[in-house]
Amino acid sequence: MADRLLDAYDALLFDLDGTVYRGGQVIDGAAEAVAAARAERTTVRFVTNNASRSPDQVAEHLTRLGVSATADEVSTSAQAAAVVLAGRLEQGDHVLVLGTSALAAEITGVGLVPVRTADGARAVVQGLSPDLSWNDLAEASVAIRAGALWVACNVDRTLPTERGLLPGNGSLVAALRHATEQEPEVAGKPATPLMDESVRASGARHPLVVGDRLDTDIEGAVAAGLDSLLVLTGVSTAADVIAAGPEARPTYIAADLGAITAPADDLAIGPKPGWDLRSGPDEIAVTGDGDPLDLLRALCAASWAFPTPPPITGDHPALATLGLTAPR
């Protein structure tokens, strides 16, 4: 393994919401991490499940926040959904769009016709839009019940913002799922279309997926057979990662993107200096005095060795730092 994490991979596939920024606020260390990757000639790609913005808009938003980006470095779930639809429909077919004008433009770009009513729609594509209404969901319900193909750009339940977690596209997908008793095809992470397109566009042979969500970023990386770095700046918590199943376990864990210049071995899951963990099927006992994040990496290794993670015992202050509650 290379000395630095950055040296071990030829491309970094960065998630955005909760990883690089929260709404209109850049996350500490994100701009510096992207700049460090560029300085080492490592390919940078921004991979977002958010279908509400075009690649141009995403790049402009990043640039305003001080993160260097161009539109041709951006892969969105709207693009992936359009590719899925183009492969299943005939040129000129009508697609009912639940989403922004950016999503509609991607549909036009693959030779399909975006519409806003169910009449004649061969498919429904659903992406996040702050202006989505009951009427939009009603039109989609009619189309789906009539047999239209339903593609969801993503199924993220929440969206990290500077105000906290807000409803994501998955919450609105759930409403349609409940209303129609149907399941959509999914284009975004953790499904493969967006991840496959991102890897292809990066031209990388050994990319690293970087994100804040186990259920999308990390699970998508595992499904694609790629290494991943979980940063604790967004949705998933220390408790979440300890309890994660094999389908959603990261290769590395870090506080934020600043870790990409740290030694890869330091960030990897496994036993760490300064911590003594006595583990068995009934408990994991913690003693030691080291970095709390090293404790988390060690706890993951110990917990994942069992089919069901055992309870963590002890009242070490590092457990409180990680937000972990130890039984007494």
Side-chain angles (χ1 to χ4, degrees), residues 4 9 12 19 30-31 37 94 102 127 138 143-144 206 209 230 240 305 316:
R4 299 185 309 166
Y9 300 93
L12 299 180
T19 301
H94 288 197
I144 293 166
H206 191 41
V209 175
L230 176 72
D240 293 333
H316 199 289

Side-chain angles (χ1 to χ4, degrees), residues 98-169:
L98 270 66
T100 64
S101 59
L103 177 55
E106 296 295 345
I107 299 305
T108 300
V110 295
L112 301 171
V113 179
V115 297
R116 296 291 182 174
T117 64
D119 298 338
R122 293 289 309 282
V124 173
V125 63
Q126 185 172 6
L128 185 65
S129 169
D131 299 321
L132 198 70
S133 70
W134 180 91
N135 287 332
D136 296 315
L137 293 172
E139 290 296 318
S141 181
V142 170
I144 293 166
R145 285 188 172 276
L149 171 65
W150 179 22
V151 175
C153 292
N154 68 80
V155 288
D156 295 15
R157 291 180 294 110
T158 57
L159 177 71
T161 75
E162 62 269 33
R163 298 180 63 198
L165 295 179
L166 303 182
N169 193 52

Side-chain angles (χ1 to χ4, degrees), residues 293-316:
L293 276 178
D294 274 345
L295 174 58
L296 176 58
R297 297 173 186 117
L299 283 171
C300 286
S303 297
W304 296 350
F306 299 95
T308 301
I312 300 165
T313 61
D315 57 0
H316 199 289

Side-chain angles (χ1 to χ4, degrees), residues 5-6 8-14 45 204 206-211 221 226-229 251-252 260:
L5 185 66
L6 186 58
Y9 300 93
D10 58 355
L12 299 180
L13 309 182
F14 290 107
R45 190 139 202 96
H206 191 41
L208 178 71
V209 175
V210 185
L226 304 176
D227 288 353
S228 61
L229 167 66
T251 315
Y252 310 99
I260 69 165

